[in-house]
């Protein structure tokens, strides 16, 4: 696995490492190296050497620095001499590029390839609201409209695309719906072409719908649909070429969707916020009586549960969480 060094002035590297792990989970072979005001170039270089020495693969190393020309960059460049064929340095470190680097490590063991990918992601991560403030890069080609990941209304009913059956990259229960962990960590590990929030309540809320659609990661379209519409989509052969990541606010909505005919085999339990009538069963999930009943019904239907906030987490035991909830809800 490509080793990653995060190098910065001050505590920036430590802070962004912590932020990235909140989204993508704990990472091996990632070290933060910080330059403090009372330190000089030689001090930083020694810390950089010590950090690289901890990596399990010291042949393939990528160093992400905060600034071009600063001490972290200059010392990284000096240390890179003799390793130009296998090491890479990228400046302008930001959170999207670090998360992209984590995801890319699953598919390649080449630091140069990852460096190329993260540069593009770093640019895409810089956006403005309103969009009219976004500058057009000199020489850049006009943006192309995103290709539809699923059929549009113009395709006649009954048309069969692919094998006629929608694919589920992931079905996740998460009361936060589309947020950083989903838009980055889960979308990169499951590679959907569409994210679908399935919720009657959110489908009626134009503001929440708009925010969710804007939060979609580049190249992936996001939709919000009521449960009955999702049931129709699950049976529509026009969606046979779609690979979807489904998001539910609660287990009850997932149950209704599956009972309606969606062929979902496994549910990822991500997080359920605490509220009145619920009990905390782990650091991310709180369950109420309705949640317990829905989960038990889903289990009786043969649905499997993957209890994880982020892909890097170890899988939790759904049965143990149910037992804890039932004991505390009595």
């Amino acid at each position: 696995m490509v080793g990653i060094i995060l190098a910065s002035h001050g505590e920036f590297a430590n802070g962004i490492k912590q932020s990235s792990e909140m989204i993508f989970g704990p990472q091996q072979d990632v070290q933060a190296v910080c330059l403090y005001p009372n330190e000089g170039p030689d001090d930083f270089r020694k810390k950089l050497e010590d950090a690289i020495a901890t990596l399990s693969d010291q042949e393939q190393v990528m160093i992400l620095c905060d600034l071009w020309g600063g001490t972290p960059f200059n010392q990284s460049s000096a240390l890179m001499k003799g390793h130009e064929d296998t090491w890479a340095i990228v400046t302008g470190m930001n959170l999207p590029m670090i998360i992209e680097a984590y995801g890319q490590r699953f598919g390649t063991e080449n630091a140069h390839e990852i460096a190329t990918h993260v540069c593009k992601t770093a640019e895409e991560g810089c956006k403005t609201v309103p969009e009219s403030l976004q500058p057009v890069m000199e020489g850049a080609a006009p943006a192309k409209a995103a290709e539809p990941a699923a059929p549009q209304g113009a395709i006649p009913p009954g048309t069969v695309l692919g094998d006629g059956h929608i694919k589920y990259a992931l079905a996740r229960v998460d009361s936060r719906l589309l947020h950083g962990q989903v838009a980055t960590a889960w979308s990169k590990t499951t590679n959907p072409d569409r994210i679908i929030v399935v919720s009657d309540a959110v489908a009626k809320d134009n503001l929440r719908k708009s925010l969710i659609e804007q939060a979609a990661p580049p190249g992936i379209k996001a939709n919000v649909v009521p449960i009955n519409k999702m049931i129709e989509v699950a049976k529509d052969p026009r969606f046979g070429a779609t690979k979807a990541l489904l998001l539910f606010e609660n287990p009850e909505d997932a149950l209704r969707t599956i009972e309606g005919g969606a062929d979902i085999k496994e549910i990822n339990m991500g997080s359920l916020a605490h509220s009145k009538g619920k009990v905390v069963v782990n650091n991310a999930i709180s369950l109420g009586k309705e949640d317990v009943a829905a989960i038990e019904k889903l289990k009786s239907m043969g649905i499997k549960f993957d209890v994880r906030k982020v892909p890097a987490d170890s899988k939790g035991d759904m049965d143990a969480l149910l037992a804890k909830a039932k004991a505390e809800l009595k």
Side-chain angles (χ1 to χ4, degrees):
M1 178 174 284
V2 174
I4 297 175
I5 302 294
L6 311 178
S8 75
H9 297 78
E11 287 287 340
F12 179 46
N14 280 331
I16 203 167
K17 179 176 184 289
Q18 182 183 47
S19 297
S20 67
E21 291 185 344
M22 284 182 63
I23 295 172
F24 216 90
Q27 296 292 306
Q28 70 179 68
D29 287 337
V30 176
Q31 296 289 341
V33 184
C34 301
L35 173 69
Y36 297 109
N38 62 331
E39 295 177 331
D42 291 341
D43 300 311
F44 185 83
R45 177 162 178 154
K46 176 61 167 60
K47 293 199 294 186
L48 193 60
E49 290 173 336
D50 291 344
I52 292 172
T54 69
L55 303 177
S56 58
D57 182 357
Q58 296 168 32
E59 288 299 315
Q60 292 289 337
V61 176
M62 184 172 68
I63 304 174
L64 300 178
C65 297
D66 53 358
L67 291 172
W68 179 279
T71 295
F73 169 77
N74 292 338
Q75 292 306 308
S76 297
S77 297
L79 201 59
M80 184 177 173
K81 289 181 179 178
H83 299 280
E84 290 87 353
D85 291 340
T86 58
W87 289 21
I89 300 174
V90 183
T91 61
M93 176 169 60
N94 63 21
L95 191 54
M97 70 195 297
I98 294 174
I99 293 168
E100 178 68 18
Y102 293 167
Q104 286 294 327
R105 292 201 300 174
F106 290 108
T108 180
E109 296 180 359
N110 186 295
H112 286 189
E113 289 183 15
I114 295 178
T116 300
H117 280 286
V118 302
C119 287
K120 185 173 186 294
T121 302
E123 294 177 1
E124 293 173 343
C126 185
K127 299 182 179 181
T128 65
V129 177
E131 291 184 13
S132 58
L133 301 178
Q134 190 83 20
V136 178
M137 299 297 291
E138 185 176 349
K144 294 181 180 179
E147 291 293 328
Q152 307 302 295
I155 297 179
T159 302
V160 178
L161 294 183
D163 64 1
H165 301 283
I166 188 171
K167 312 301 181 296
Y168 301 107
L170 182 76
R172 177 178 171 93
V173 172
D174 189 334
S175 55
R176 295 174 294 172
L177 295 174
L178 181 51
H179 56 95
Q181 290 170 347
V182 174
T184 54
W186 284 108
S187 66
K188 289 186 184 302
T189 54
T190 59
N191 295 311
D193 50 44
R194 185 173 293 257
I195 295 173
I196 305 177
V197 170
V198 186
S199 168
D200 289 346
V202 181
K204 298 174 183 176
D205 188 329
N206 289 331
L207 176 58
R208 290 185 72 187
K209 282 178 62 176
S210 176
L211 292 174
I212 285 170
E213 290 167 355
Q214 291 177 26
I220 302 176
K221 187 172 179 60
N223 299 104
V224 179
V225 300
I227 294 171
N228 285 341
K229 179 63 177 178
M230 186 63 227
I231 292 171
E232 292 177 10
V233 167
K235 300 174 181 178
D236 192 330
R238 291 176 294 177
F239 288 84
T242 299
K243 184 181 180 184
L245 188 162
L246 303 190
L247 296 172
F248 300 97
E249 280 191 289
N250 52 62
E252 298 91 299
D253 286 354
L255 174 61
R256 282 182 55 198
T257 303
I258 293 172
E259 286 181 325
D263 188 23
I264 297 169
K265 305 296 186 185
E266 182 176 83
I267 293 176
N268 166 234
M269 289 292 291
S271 73
L272 281 171
H274 184 265
S275 61
K276 186 175 180 180
K278 295 180 181 286
V279 295
V280 176
V281 294
N282 71 9
N283 63 353
I285 297 173
S286 296
L287 299 176
K289 292 182 178 179
E290 295 83 1
D291 301 318
V292 169
I295 293 170
E296 289 188 322
K297 181 64 181 296
L298 286 164
K299 285 177 65 66
S300 73
M301 297 167 65
I303 306 301
K304 298 184 182 301
F305 283 85
D306 172 11
V307 183
R308 286 186 293 171
K309 282 195 301 182
V310 294
D313 286 346
S314 298
K315 292 187 179 183
D317 185 342
M318 191 72 250
D319 289 336
L321 299 184
L322 283 175
K324 182 177 181 180
K326 289 162 75 173
E328 297 187 17
L329 286 168
K330 284 184 179 178

